[in-house]
Every structure is written in C-alpha cells, then in structure tokens.
C-alpha cells in the first residue's frame, strides 16, 4: 500500500531484478493458482490457490507494472468469456478482486495505470516502444540473438537512436531494456 513504486528487488541481476520482471513472473504463475481454485481439488488446495492468487494480484499492484496490469485484465476477460463454465460466478469473483484491489491500492498505482491511455507523454512507455522497435531490427540482423543478457549492451552500441529528435529526449544516451 506504499505510495512509492517498487522499481527493484534484490534478486539475480539477470532475471527479475526489476519490478516489471517480477510482476511478469507473478502473472505467468496466476493460471496455476486459478487452476487450484476452480479445479476438482480438496478445500485446502482451493484455499491455497486462492491465497496465492490474491497475494500475486496484490503484489502486481505493488510493483505498479502497467504491462502486468493489462495482462491480468486481458487474461481475466479471456477466462470469463471463453473458459469459465459458470460465468456469473467468475465475473462476481473477478469484480470482487478488482474492487478490493482498487480500494487497497495506493493512489500512485491508479495514477500510473491511468497513464496507459496517454502513453505518448510517458517517458517510460516511449522508451519501451523505442527498445521494442530496436529489438525487432536486432532480431532480423541477429537471428540467433546477441547473447544472453546482452540486449542492453547491443542496444547501446548499435541500435540507440542517434538523432536529436529521439522519442525520449531525456534518455537518448541510456542503454535501456525492453523489460518483460
């Protein structure tokens, strides 16, 4: 519930050392928790799955990762619309989690997620788009990759925009990461 965005974690520096990566890891694990909740399991496994689901969702809110928020939202909609056998129950459950999450989330989370619709003015989003564009070019030029954990270095050496009208003026010389 802190108003300060958690941007880094003490972890292996090559994996999940960033709030976005951590949120991505939790988002990938959510289907397992959902399976425990909705599958034909004993009550204690359902409770364990529910606890894991709630903990992961609140931790995603804590990282304030917009990408993970969008991924969770889209996955939830896909589940409710195409997979759930009892859509009304799934919709009620999802609405309860969303309302509970919004009530407990710090204002900084809702403000940050609100910038999704105006990404053209957000340096973080623009930097990500710039890195993704470079990653596409990099993939065509190096089909076997540039080496594990070398994206930032290759980007900075060979793909960093050199013009002064870079999408992100404050970070023209930064070696940025495409994140998760």
């Amino acid at each position: 519930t802190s108003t300060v965005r958690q941007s880094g974690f003490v972890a292996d520096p090559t994996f999940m050392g960033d709030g976005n990566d951590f949120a991505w890891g939790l988002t990938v694990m959510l289907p397992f928790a959902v399976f425990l909740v909705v599958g034909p399991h004993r009550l204690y496994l359902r409770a364990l799955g529910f606890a894991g689901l709630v903990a992961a969702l609140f931790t995603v809110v804590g990282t304030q990762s917009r990408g993970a928020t969008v991924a969770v939202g889209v996955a939830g909609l896909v589940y409710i619309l195409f997979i759930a056998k009892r859509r009304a129950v799934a919709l009620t459950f999802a609405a309860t989690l969303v309302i509970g999450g919004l009530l407990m989330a710090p204002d900084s989370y809702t403000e940050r997620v609100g910038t999704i619709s105006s990404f053209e003015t957000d340096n973080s989003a623009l930097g990500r788009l710039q890195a993704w564009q470079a990653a596409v070019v990099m993939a065509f030029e190096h089909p076997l990759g540039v080496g594990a954990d070398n994206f930032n270095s290759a980007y900075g050496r060979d793909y960093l925009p050199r013009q002064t009208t870079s999408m992100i003026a404050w970070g023209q010389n930064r070696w940025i990461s495409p994140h998760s």
Side-chain angles (χ1 to χ4, degrees):
T1 60
S2 171
T3 59
V4 178
R5 181 171 187 254
Q6 182 65 38
S7 61
F9 298 88
V10 177
D12 177 2
T14 60
F15 181 66
M16 287 209 258
D18 159 285
N20 291 306
D21 292 338
F22 187 57
W24 165 80
L26 291 170
T27 303
V28 169
M29 294 304 295
L30 284 175
F32 296 102
V34 171
F35 173 72
L36 288 176
V37 172
V38 300
H41 299 101
R42 296 178 187 246
L43 185 59
Y44 75 92
L45 285 176
R46 288 176 186 252
L48 181 65
F50 180 75
L53 178 68
V54 170
L57 290 174
F58 281 107
T59 305
V60 166
V61 169
T63 64
Q64 297 185 16
S65 172
R66 292 170 295 197
T69 299
V70 169
V72 168
V74 169
L77 283 175
V78 168
Y79 177 78
I80 291 168
L81 295 175
F82 301 109
I83 299 171
K85 291 182 174 86
R86 295 181 282 171
R87 286 186 180 90
V89 173
L91 186 59
T92 303
F93 180 70
T96 302
L97 283 176
V98 168
I99 291 169
L102 288 175
L103 289 174
M104 295 182 77
D107 292 338
S108 58
Y109 172 74
T110 53
E111 289 170 13
R112 182 164 168 79
V113 171
T115 64
I116 289 174
S117 61
S118 60
F119 70 92
E120 299 89 355
T121 60
D122 185 294
N123 285 337
S124 174
L126 292 176
R128 186 89 40 88
L129 292 172
Q130 184 174 307
W132 289 348
Q133 289 171 346
V136 170
V137 174
M138 197 182 299
F140 281 112
E141 292 180 359
H142 303 278
L144 298 177
V146 294
D149 204 28
N150 284 324
F151 177 89
N152 294 7
S153 176
Y155 175 79
R157 283 189 325 269
D158 303 323
Y159 299 93
L160 186 68
R162 304 292 181 213
Q163 71 272 17
T164 57
T165 58
S166 173
M167 290 189 338
I168 52 171
W170 61 270
Q172 286 178 346
N173 298 317
R174 274 183 74 214
W175 290 16
I176 58 178
S177 169
H179 294 283
S180 53

